[in-house]
Amino acid sequence: MIVQRKAYLDELLSFKDSEFIKAITGIRRSGKSSLLLMYRDYLRSIKVPEEQIIYINFEALESYKLLTEETLSQYLVEHSSKDVKMYYLFDEIQFVQGWEAVINGLRVSFDSDITVTGSNAQLLAGEYATLLTGRFVSIEVYPLSFKEFLDFKQIETNDTRKIIEMFMEYRQYGGFPAVVLADQRLKDTILSGIFDSILLNDVGQHHAVKDVTTLQAISRFLMFNVGQIISVNKISNTLTSAGFKVSVPTVARYLDSLKDSFLFYIASRYDIRGKEYLKNKPKYFVADTGLRNIALGKFGENRGSELENIVYIELKRRGYKVDVGQLVNDTEVDFIARKGNEILYVQVTQQIPETSDRETDNLIMLPGQYQKLLITGVSASPYTIEGVPVISVYDWLLQN
């Protein structure tokens, strides 16, 4: 059974029959394939004939003979008609050599609606997509939000005690749909499989990474230091001290590969007063806290960083570009979230210390009249401190 993710489907449908090729991207097992099947089900529901819908999963065994430009082109020409609208749905298109030329050919030769999925950010970047520049619209799929998590589990949102209990499970196991719906005893096994497949397939094979052990070590270093300022030199020195033979350029290349696989996101530091980006030492956040806990083999440590990670991914999920705000004397604002003309300053804390005003002071001292928000890990009704709204993470995550 496919559980509907209406927001993503609505976004996909908004580009139906347009000139744009719809590219569904995101981390492995986040729900891209299910979204593609939802789109196919929708087409069937509005009575699009089956012969006008061509769906191919390029990871399936029966599709191996179609993994070259020539074989796929021949197959599509034989099964397409120029007299009607054709709907092409391609899952994990990056496995096809020369896929860009095929997609461009379909666009030129047929009255077509084209949707593809891919688990690598380079799907739409650089030399890989030069033939299709300006003709793509990207829809990035994330693991389940906490609100979707509750929907999948059919939990009512008016039971505060149950919400807090479910949030602890969400923090520990994350939001991959297969994990959320799995029996409790299988969750760790599924998470381990997802983590291994990302490193071995989406990173290792795609980027020809030969030293998987070093790749795993870098991944675990980033997960342990979620939300901390990190430099390539620091990673290289730490791994060298631990007995790894790894150079700074190799670390940099592996970091790019991990980012391209959507396993990690980079938050650049932005000088709020100087209004410019700082060129080094960004922060890294992992796509799903469940992966972090299974990779590190621990849960419940450094809850503040884990909460910060959840808020960062949720801001990304809501369509914000998210940076780390740098103020004077190394004072930081956790996040600057931008969307269009909207700017939102966000501070995240497990709880507000009784002996310190640092969390609110960082927001109060900000210049300008932009929106400000303090998110805490404590269940409480929303209130304000010197004009700064304070809201529990439970309430914030359940907002539309």
Side-chain angles (χ1 to χ4, degrees), residues 46-100:
I46 61 171
K47 309 303 182 184
V48 174
E50 286 293 327
E51 60 270 19
Q52 291 175 230
I53 304 172
I54 296 181
Y55 166 83
I56 304 175
N57 179 356
F58 291 107
E59 284 191 304
L61 183 62
E62 60 269 22
S63 301
Y64 280 12
K65 61 185 178 182
L66 302 177
L67 297 184
T68 67
E69 179 182 338
E70 293 76 16
T71 56
L72 180 58
S73 296
Q74 181 179 349
Y75 175 87
L76 293 174
V77 168
E78 292 174 354
H79 291 80
S80 300
S81 170
K82 292 190 176 184
D83 299 327
V84 294
K85 185 82 171 185
M86 294 298 303
Y87 292 86
Y88 299 102
L89 288 70
F90 299 140
D91 203 2
E92 300 295 353
I93 189 69
Q94 75 274 2
F95 285 105
V96 179
Q97 298 176 17
W99 65 267
E100 305 93 334

Short mmCIF file of all heavy atoms in Angstrom, two decimals, residues 46-100:
data_model
loop_
_atom_site.label_atom_id
_atom_site.label_comp_id
_atom_site.label_asym_id
_atom_site.label_seq_id
_atom_site.Cartn_x
_atom_site.Cartn_y
_atom_site.Cartn_z
N ILE A 46 -7.64 9.52 -13.93
CA ILE A 46 -8.30 10.47 -14.84
C ILE A 46 -8.45 9.86 -16.24
O ILE A 46 -8.66 10.58 -17.22
CB ILE A 46 -7.55 11.81 -14.90
CG1 ILE A 46 -6.12 11.64 -15.41
CG2 ILE A 46 -7.57 12.49 -13.54
CD1 ILE A 46 -5.41 12.96 -15.68
N LYS A 47 -8.30 8.54 -16.30
CA LYS A 47 -8.59 7.76 -17.52
C LYS A 47 -7.58 7.97 -18.65
O LYS A 47 -7.94 7.86 -19.83
CB LYS A 47 -10.01 8.06 -18.03
CG LYS A 47 -11.10 7.95 -16.98
CD LYS A 47 -11.13 6.56 -16.33
CE LYS A 47 -12.25 6.46 -15.31
NZ LYS A 47 -12.25 5.16 -14.59
N VAL A 48 -6.32 8.26 -18.31
CA VAL A 48 -5.29 8.25 -19.35
C VAL A 48 -5.07 6.80 -19.75
O VAL A 48 -4.80 5.96 -18.89
CB VAL A 48 -3.97 8.87 -18.83
CG1 VAL A 48 -2.87 8.73 -19.88
CG2 VAL A 48 -4.17 10.34 -18.48
N PRO A 49 -5.17 6.45 -21.03
CA PRO A 49 -5.00 5.06 -21.46
C PRO A 49 -3.62 4.51 -21.10
O PRO A 49 -2.63 5.23 -21.13
CB PRO A 49 -5.19 5.15 -22.98
CG PRO A 49 -5.99 6.39 -23.20
CD PRO A 49 -5.54 7.35 -22.14
N GLU A 50 -3.58 3.21 -20.77
CA GLU A 50 -2.32 2.58 -20.36
C GLU A 50 -1.23 2.69 -21.42
O GLU A 50 -0.05 2.84 -21.09
CB GLU A 50 -2.56 1.10 -20.03
CG GLU A 50 -3.28 0.85 -18.72
CD GLU A 50 -2.45 1.25 -17.51
OE1 GLU A 50 -1.21 1.14 -17.56
OE2 GLU A 50 -3.04 1.70 -16.52
N GLU A 51 -1.62 2.64 -22.69
CA GLU A 51 -0.61 2.69 -23.75
C GLU A 51 0.03 4.07 -23.87
O GLU A 51 1.05 4.24 -24.56
CB GLU A 51 -1.22 2.27 -25.10
CG GLU A 51 -2.38 3.12 -25.58
CD GLU A 51 -3.73 2.59 -25.11
OE1 GLU A 51 -3.76 1.81 -24.12
OE2 GLU A 51 -4.75 2.96 -25.73
N GLN A 52 -0.53 5.07 -23.19
CA GLN A 52 0.06 6.40 -23.21
C GLN A 52 0.94 6.66 -21.98
O GLN A 52 1.52 7.74 -21.83
CB GLN A 52 -1.03 7.48 -23.28
CG GLN A 52 -1.77 7.51 -24.61
CD GLN A 52 -2.93 8.49 -24.60
OE1 GLN A 52 -4.06 8.16 -24.99
NE2 GLN A 52 -2.67 9.70 -24.15
N ILE A 53 1.03 5.66 -21.11
CA ILE A 53 1.87 5.77 -19.90
C ILE A 53 3.00 4.76 -20.00
O ILE A 53 2.76 3.55 -20.07
CB ILE A 53 1.05 5.51 -18.62
CG1 ILE A 53 -0.15 6.45 -18.54
CG2 ILE A 53 1.94 5.67 -17.39
CD1 ILE A 53 -1.10 6.12 -17.39
N ILE A 54 4.22 5.23 -20.02
CA ILE A 54 5.38 4.34 -20.03
C ILE A 54 6.15 4.56 -18.73
O ILE A 54 6.73 5.61 -18.50
CB ILE A 54 6.29 4.60 -21.24
CG1 ILE A 54 5.55 4.28 -22.53
CG2 ILE A 54 7.58 3.78 -21.13
CD1 ILE A 54 6.37 4.50 -23.78
N TYR A 55 6.12 3.53 -17.88
CA TYR A 55 6.81 3.58 -16.59
C TYR A 55 7.95 2.57 -16.60
O TYR A 55 7.76 1.40 -16.95
CB TYR A 55 5.84 3.24 -15.45
CG TYR A 55 6.52 2.95 -14.13
CD1 TYR A 55 6.91 3.98 -13.29
CD2 TYR A 55 6.78 1.63 -13.74
CE1 TYR A 55 7.54 3.72 -12.08
CE2 TYR A 55 7.41 1.36 -12.53
CZ TYR A 55 7.80 2.40 -11.71
OH TYR A 55 8.43 2.14 -10.53
N ILE A 56 9.16 3.02 -16.24
CA ILE A 56 10.33 2.14 -16.18
C ILE A 56 11.10 2.41 -14.90
O ILE A 56 11.48 3.55 -14.63
CB ILE A 56 11.27 2.33 -17.40
CG1 ILE A 56 10.52 2.13 -18.72
CG2 ILE A 56 12.44 1.35 -17.31
CD1 ILE A 56 11.36 2.44 -19.95
N ASN A 57 11.36 1.34 -14.15
CA ASN A 57 12.24 1.41 -12.99
C ASN A 57 13.59 0.84 -13.41
O ASN A 57 13.72 -0.36 -13.64
CB ASN A 57 11.65 0.62 -11.82
CG ASN A 57 12.55 0.63 -10.59
OD1 ASN A 57 13.66 1.18 -10.62
ND2 ASN A 57 12.09 0.03 -9.52
N PHE A 58 14.60 1.69 -13.50
CA PHE A 58 15.89 1.26 -14.04
C PHE A 58 16.73 0.49 -13.04
O PHE A 58 17.83 0.03 -13.39
CB PHE A 58 16.66 2.47 -14.58
CG PHE A 58 16.03 3.05 -15.81
CD1 PHE A 58 15.35 4.25 -15.76
CD2 PHE A 58 16.10 2.37 -17.02
CE1 PHE A 58 14.75 4.77 -16.90
CE2 PHE A 58 15.50 2.88 -18.16
CZ PHE A 58 14.83 4.10 -18.10
N GLU A 59 16.24 0.30 -11.82
CA GLU A 59 16.91 -0.59 -10.87
C GLU A 59 16.36 -2.00 -10.96
O GLU A 59 16.95 -2.93 -10.40
CB GLU A 59 16.76 -0.07 -9.44
CG GLU A 59 17.65 1.12 -9.11
CD GLU A 59 17.67 1.43 -7.63
OE1 GLU A 59 16.59 1.66 -7.06
OE2 GLU A 59 18.76 1.47 -7.06
N ALA A 60 15.25 -2.18 -11.66
CA ALA A 60 14.62 -3.49 -11.78
C ALA A 60 15.39 -4.37 -12.76
O ALA A 60 15.95 -3.90 -13.75
CB ALA A 60 13.17 -3.35 -12.23
N LEU A 61 15.39 -5.66 -12.50
CA LEU A 61 16.14 -6.62 -13.32
C LEU A 61 15.70 -6.59 -14.77
O LEU A 61 16.52 -6.64 -15.70
CB LEU A 61 15.97 -8.03 -12.75
CG LEU A 61 16.75 -9.15 -13.44
CD1 LEU A 61 18.25 -8.90 -13.34
CD2 LEU A 61 16.39 -10.50 -12.83
N GLU A 62 14.40 -6.45 -15.00
CA GLU A 62 13.89 -6.48 -16.37
C GLU A 62 14.27 -5.24 -17.18
O GLU A 62 14.07 -5.21 -18.40
CB GLU A 62 12.37 -6.65 -16.36
CG GLU A 62 11.60 -5.55 -15.67
CD GLU A 62 11.35 -5.83 -14.19
OE1 GLU A 62 12.11 -6.64 -13.60
OE2 GLU A 62 10.41 -5.23 -13.64
N SER A 63 14.83 -4.25 -16.51
CA SER A 63 15.21 -3.01 -17.21
C SER A 63 16.69 -2.95 -17.56
O SER A 63 17.14 -1.99 -18.17
CB SER A 63 14.85 -1.79 -16.35
OG SER A 63 13.47 -1.77 -16.06
N TYR A 64 17.47 -3.99 -17.19
CA TYR A 64 18.91 -3.94 -17.41
C TYR A 64 19.26 -3.80 -18.88
O TYR A 64 20.26 -3.18 -19.24
CB TYR A 64 19.57 -5.19 -16.83
CG TYR A 64 19.78 -5.12 -15.33
CD1 TYR A 64 19.18 -4.12 -14.56
CD2 TYR A 64 20.58 -6.05 -14.67
CE1 TYR A 64 19.36 -4.06 -13.20
CE2 TYR A 64 20.77 -5.99 -13.30
CZ TYR A 64 20.16 -4.99 -12.57
OH TYR A 64 20.35 -4.92 -11.21
N LYS A 65 18.45 -4.34 -19.76
CA LYS A 65 18.74 -4.26 -21.19
C LYS A 65 18.47 -2.86 -21.76
O LYS A 65 18.77 -2.59 -22.92
CB LYS A 65 17.91 -5.28 -21.95
CG LYS A 65 16.40 -5.08 -21.80
CD LYS A 65 15.63 -6.20 -22.48
CE LYS A 65 14.13 -6.01 -22.27
NZ LYS A 65 13.35 -7.12 -22.89
N LEU A 66 17.93 -1.96 -20.92
CA LEU A 66 17.59 -0.61 -21.38
C LEU A 66 18.53 0.46 -20.83
O LEU A 66 18.21 1.64 -20.89
CB LEU A 66 16.14 -0.27 -20.98
CG LEU A 66 15.04 -1.21 -21.48
CD1 LEU A 66 13.70 -0.77 -20.92
CD2 LEU A 66 15.00 -1.24 -23.00
N LEU A 67 19.68 0.07 -20.32
CA LEU A 67 20.54 1.00 -19.62
C LEU A 67 21.53 1.74 -20.51
O LEU A 67 22.46 2.38 -20.01
CB LEU A 67 21.31 0.27 -18.50
CG LEU A 67 20.43 -0.33 -17.39
CD1 LEU A 67 21.29 -0.95 -16.30
CD2 LEU A 67 19.50 0.73 -16.80
N THR A 68 21.35 1.67 -21.80
CA THR A 68 22.18 2.47 -22.71
C THR A 68 21.28 3.40 -23.52
O THR A 68 20.08 3.15 -23.69
CB THR A 68 22.98 1.59 -23.68
OG1 THR A 68 22.07 0.92 -24.57
CG2 THR A 68 23.82 0.56 -22.93
N GLU A 69 21.87 4.45 -24.03
CA GLU A 69 21.12 5.43 -24.82
C GLU A 69 20.45 4.76 -26.02
O GLU A 69 19.28 5.05 -26.34
CB GLU A 69 22.08 6.52 -25.29
CG GLU A 69 21.45 7.60 -26.16
CD GLU A 69 22.46 8.62 -26.63
OE1 GLU A 69 23.52 8.75 -25.99
OE2 GLU A 69 22.19 9.29 -27.64
N GLU A 70 21.17 3.86 -26.69
CA GLU A 70 20.65 3.23 -27.91
C GLU A 70 19.47 2.30 -27.61
O GLU A 70 18.42 2.37 -28.27
CB GLU A 70 21.77 2.45 -28.61
CG GLU A 70 22.88 3.31 -29.18
CD GLU A 70 23.83 3.85 -28.10
OE1 GLU A 70 23.80 3.31 -26.95
OE2 GLU A 70 24.57 4.80 -28.38
N THR A 71 19.63 1.42 -26.61
CA THR A 71 18.57 0.44 -26.34
C THR A 71 17.31 1.12 -25.79
O THR A 71 16.19 0.74 -26.14
CB THR A 71 19.06 -0.63 -25.35
OG1 THR A 71 19.53 0.02 -24.14
CG2 THR A 71 20.18 -1.45 -25.95
N LEU A 72 17.50 2.13 -24.94
CA LEU A 72 16.34 2.82 -24.38
C LEU A 72 15.62 3.62 -25.46
O LEU A 72 14.38 3.60 -25.55
CB LEU A 72 16.76 3.74 -23.24
CG LEU A 72 15.63 4.53 -22.57
CD1 LEU A 72 14.56 3.60 -22.01
CD2 LEU A 72 16.17 5.44 -21.46
N SER A 73 16.37 4.30 -26.31
CA SER A 73 15.76 5.08 -27.40
C SER A 73 14.93 4.19 -28.31
O SER A 73 13.80 4.53 -28.69
CB SER A 73 16.84 5.80 -28.20
OG SER A 73 17.51 6.75 -27.40
N GLN A 74 15.50 3.04 -28.67
CA GLN A 74 14.79 2.12 -29.57
C GLN A 74 13.50 1.63 -28.92
O GLN A 74 12.44 1.59 -29.56
CB GLN A 74 15.69 0.93 -29.91
CG GLN A 74 15.02 -0.07 -30.86
CD GLN A 74 15.96 -1.24 -31.20
OE1 GLN A 74 17.15 -1.19 -30.90
NE2 GLN A 74 15.41 -2.26 -31.83
N TYR A 75 13.58 1.27 -27.64
CA TYR A 75 12.40 0.78 -26.93
C TYR A 75 11.30 1.85 -26.89
O TYR A 75 10.12 1.57 -27.14
CB TYR A 75 12.79 0.36 -25.51
CG TYR A 75 11.62 -0.04 -24.65
CD1 TYR A 75 11.15 -1.35 -24.65
CD2 TYR A 75 10.98 0.89 -23.81
CE1 TYR A 75 10.07 -1.73 -23.86
CE2 TYR A 75 9.90 0.52 -23.02
CZ TYR A 75 9.45 -0.78 -23.05
OH TYR A 75 8.38 -1.16 -22.28
N LEU A 76 11.68 3.08 -26.59
CA LEU A 76 10.69 4.15 -26.46
C LEU A 76 10.05 4.52 -27.80
O LEU A 76 8.84 4.79 -27.87
CB LEU A 76 11.35 5.38 -25.83
CG LEU A 76 11.79 5.20 -24.37
CD1 LEU A 76 12.57 6.41 -23.88
CD2 LEU A 76 10.60 4.94 -23.46
N VAL A 77 10.84 4.52 -28.85
CA VAL A 77 10.29 4.80 -30.18
C VAL A 77 9.27 3.73 -30.56
O VAL A 77 8.19 4.04 -31.11
CB VAL A 77 11.41 4.89 -31.23
CG1 VAL A 77 10.83 4.88 -32.64
CG2 VAL A 77 12.25 6.14 -31.01
N GLU A 78 9.58 2.49 -30.25
CA GLU A 78 8.68 1.38 -30.59
C GLU A 78 7.38 1.41 -29.80
O GLU A 78 6.35 0.90 -30.26
CB GLU A 78 9.39 0.05 -30.35
CG GLU A 78 10.54 -0.22 -31.32
CD GLU A 78 11.31 -1.48 -30.97
OE1 GLU A 78 11.02 -2.07 -29.90
OE2 GLU A 78 12.21 -1.86 -31.74
N HIS A 79 7.41 2.01 -28.60
CA HIS A 79 6.23 1.98 -27.73
C HIS A 79 5.54 3.33 -27.58
O HIS A 79 4.63 3.48 -26.75
CB HIS A 79 6.62 1.47 -26.34
CG HIS A 79 6.99 0.01 -26.31
ND1 HIS A 79 8.23 -0.44 -26.70
CD2 HIS A 79 6.28 -1.09 -25.95
CE1 HIS A 79 8.29 -1.75 -26.57
NE2 HIS A 79 7.11 -2.17 -26.12
N SER A 80 5.94 4.31 -28.39
CA SER A 80 5.35 5.65 -28.30
C SER A 80 4.58 6.00 -29.56
O SER A 80 4.86 5.47 -30.64
CB SER A 80 6.45 6.70 -28.06
OG SER A 80 7.15 6.45 -26.87
N SER A 81 3.62 6.90 -29.40
CA SER A 81 2.84 7.36 -30.54
C SER A 81 2.92 8.89 -30.62
O SER A 81 2.88 9.58 -29.60
CB SER A 81 1.37 6.94 -30.38
OG SER A 81 0.56 7.57 -31.36
N LYS A 82 3.02 9.38 -31.85
CA LYS A 82 3.06 10.83 -32.06
C LYS A 82 1.67 11.44 -32.18
O LYS A 82 1.52 12.65 -32.31
CB LYS A 82 3.87 11.16 -33.31
CG LYS A 82 5.35 10.85 -33.17
CD LYS A 82 6.16 11.42 -34.32
CE LYS A 82 7.65 11.19 -34.11
NZ LYS A 82 8.48 11.81 -35.16
N ASP A 83 0.63 10.59 -32.12
CA ASP A 83 -0.74 11.07 -32.29
C ASP A 83 -1.42 11.45 -30.98
O ASP A 83 -2.51 12.03 -31.01
CB ASP A 83 -1.57 9.98 -32.99
CG ASP A 83 -1.02 9.65 -34.38
OD1 ASP A 83 -0.48 10.57 -35.02
OD2 ASP A 83 -1.10 8.48 -34.78
N VAL A 84 -0.81 11.09 -29.85
CA VAL A 84 -1.44 11.35 -28.55
C VAL A 84 -0.39 11.87 -27.57
O VAL A 84 0.81 11.85 -27.84
CB VAL A 84 -2.07 10.06 -27.97
CG1 VAL A 84 -3.23 9.58 -28.83
CG2 VAL A 84 -1.01 8.97 -27.82
N LYS A 85 -0.87 12.33 -26.42
CA LYS A 85 0.03 12.76 -25.34
C LYS A 85 0.65 11.53 -24.69
O LYS A 85 -0.06 10.60 -24.29
CB LYS A 85 -0.75 13.56 -24.30
CG LYS A 85 0.09 14.16 -23.19
CD LYS A 85 0.71 15.45 -23.63
CE LYS A 85 1.38 16.20 -22.51
NZ LYS A 85 1.89 17.51 -22.93
N MET A 86 1.98 11.53 -24.58
CA MET A 86 2.68 10.42 -23.95
C MET A 86 3.18 10.86 -22.57
O MET A 86 3.71 11.96 -22.40
CB MET A 86 3.86 9.96 -24.80
CG MET A 86 3.47 9.35 -26.13
SD MET A 86 2.47 7.83 -25.99
CE MET A 86 3.54 6.78 -25.00
N TYR A 87 3.02 9.98 -21.60
CA TYR A 87 3.49 10.23 -20.24
C TYR A 87 4.63 9.27 -19.92
O TYR A 87 4.44 8.04 -19.88
CB TYR A 87 2.34 10.06 -19.24
CG TYR A 87 1.28 11.13 -19.39
CD1 TYR A 87 0.24 10.98 -20.30
CD2 TYR A 87 1.34 12.31 -18.65
CE1 TYR A 87 -0.72 11.96 -20.46
CE2 TYR A 87 0.38 13.31 -18.79
CZ TYR A 87 -0.64 13.13 -19.70
OH TYR A 87 -1.60 14.11 -19.87
N TYR A 88 5.82 9.81 -19.71
CA TYR A 88 7.01 9.01 -19.44
C TYR A 88 7.39 9.17 -17.98
O TYR A 88 7.63 10.28 -17.49
CB TYR A 88 8.17 9.46 -20.33
CG TYR A 88 7.90 9.32 -21.81
CD1 TYR A 88 7.56 10.43 -22.57
CD2 TYR A 88 7.98 8.09 -22.45
CE1 TYR A 88 7.31 10.32 -23.94
CE2 TYR A 88 7.72 7.96 -23.81
CZ TYR A 88 7.39 9.08 -24.55
OH TYR A 88 7.15 8.97 -25.89
N LEU A 89 7.47 8.05 -17.27
CA LEU A 89 7.82 8.04 -15.85
C LEU A 89 9.04 7.14 -15.68
O LEU A 89 8.95 5.91 -15.82
CB LEU A 89 6.66 7.53 -15.00
CG LEU A 89 5.44 8.44 -14.84
CD1 LEU A 89 4.63 8.57 -16.14
CD2 LEU A 89 4.53 7.90 -13.73
N PHE A 90 10.19 7.73 -15.36
CA PHE A 90 11.45 7.01 -15.29
C PHE A 90 12.02 7.07 -13.88
O PHE A 90 12.36 8.16 -13.39
CB PHE A 90 12.46 7.59 -16.28
CG PHE A 90 12.03 7.51 -17.72
CD1 PHE A 90 12.26 8.56 -18.58
CD2 PHE A 90 11.38 6.39 -18.21
CE1 PHE A 90 11.88 8.51 -19.92
CE2 PHE A 90 10.97 6.31 -19.54
CZ PHE A 90 11.22 7.37 -20.40
N ASP A 91 12.16 5.91 -13.24
CA ASP A 91 12.66 5.83 -11.88
C ASP A 91 14.16 5.54 -11.88
O ASP A 91 14.60 4.58 -12.49
CB ASP A 91 11.91 4.72 -11.12
CG ASP A 91 11.94 4.91 -9.62
OD1 ASP A 91 12.51 5.92 -9.16
OD2 ASP A 91 11.40 4.04 -8.91
N GLU A 92 14.94 6.36 -11.17
CA GLU A 92 16.40 6.26 -11.07
C GLU A 92 17.04 6.33 -12.46
O GLU A 92 17.80 5.47 -12.89
CB GLU A 92 16.82 4.98 -10.33
CG GLU A 92 16.29 4.90 -8.90
CD GLU A 92 16.87 5.96 -7.97
OE1 GLU A 92 17.78 6.70 -8.38
OE2 GLU A 92 16.39 6.05 -6.82
N ILE A 93 16.76 7.43 -13.15
CA ILE A 93 17.20 7.63 -14.52
C ILE A 93 18.72 7.68 -14.66
O ILE A 93 19.27 7.40 -15.73
CB ILE A 93 16.57 8.93 -15.08
CG1 ILE A 93 16.81 9.09 -16.59
CG2 ILE A 93 17.11 10.14 -14.35
CD1 ILE A 93 16.08 8.11 -17.44
N GLN A 94 19.44 8.00 -13.57
CA GLN A 94 20.88 8.17 -13.67
C GLN A 94 21.61 6.87 -14.01
O GLN A 94 22.79 6.90 -14.37
CB GLN A 94 21.45 8.75 -12.36
CG GLN A 94 21.56 7.78 -11.19
CD GLN A 94 20.28 7.69 -10.39
OE1 GLN A 94 19.28 8.32 -10.74
NE2 GLN A 94 20.29 6.91 -9.33
N PHE A 95 20.92 5.72 -13.92
CA PHE A 95 21.56 4.46 -14.27
C PHE A 95 21.72 4.28 -15.78
O PHE A 95 22.43 3.40 -16.24
CB PHE A 95 20.77 3.28 -13.69
CG PHE A 95 20.94 3.11 -12.22
CD1 PHE A 95 19.94 3.49 -11.34
CD2 PHE A 95 22.12 2.60 -11.69
CE1 PHE A 95 20.10 3.34 -9.97
CE2 PHE A 95 22.29 2.46 -10.32
CZ PHE A 95 21.27 2.83 -9.45
N VAL A 96 21.04 5.11 -16.56
CA VAL A 96 21.10 5.01 -18.02
C VAL A 96 22.24 5.87 -18.55
O VAL A 96 22.30 7.07 -18.30
CB VAL A 96 19.77 5.47 -18.67
CG1 VAL A 96 19.86 5.37 -20.19
CG2 VAL A 96 18.61 4.63 -18.14
N GLN A 97 23.14 5.26 -19.28
CA GLN A 97 24.22 6.02 -19.91
C GLN A 97 23.64 6.87 -21.05
O GLN A 97 22.98 6.35 -21.93
CB GLN A 97 25.28 5.06 -20.46
CG GLN A 97 25.97 4.21 -19.41
CD GLN A 97 26.94 3.22 -20.01
OE1 GLN A 97 27.36 3.36 -21.16
NE2 GLN A 97 27.32 2.22 -19.23
N GLY A 98 23.90 8.17 -20.98
CA GLY A 98 23.40 9.06 -22.01
C GLY A 98 21.92 9.37 -21.88
O GLY A 98 21.26 9.70 -22.87
N TRP A 99 21.41 9.32 -20.66
CA TRP A 99 19.98 9.54 -20.45
C TRP A 99 19.53 10.93 -20.88
O TRP A 99 18.40 11.11 -21.33
CB TRP A 99 19.60 9.30 -18.99
CG TRP A 99 20.20 10.28 -18.01
CD1 TRP A 99 21.37 10.12 -17.33
CD2 TRP A 99 19.68 11.55 -17.63
NE1 TRP A 99 21.62 11.22 -16.54
CE2 TRP A 99 20.59 12.11 -16.70
CE3 TRP A 99 18.54 12.27 -17.97
CZ2 TRP A 99 20.40 13.36 -16.13
CZ3 TRP A 99 18.33 13.52 -17.39
CH2 TRP A 99 19.25 14.05 -16.48
N GLU A 100 20.44 11.93 -20.76
CA GLU A 100 20.06 13.29 -21.12
C GLU A 100 19.64 13.40 -22.58
O GLU A 100 18.67 14.08 -22.93
CB GLU A 100 21.23 14.26 -20.85
CG GLU A 100 21.76 14.22 -19.44
CD GLU A 100 22.94 13.25 -19.30
OE1 GLU A 100 23.02 12.30 -20.08
OE2 GLU A 100 23.75 13.47 -18.40
#
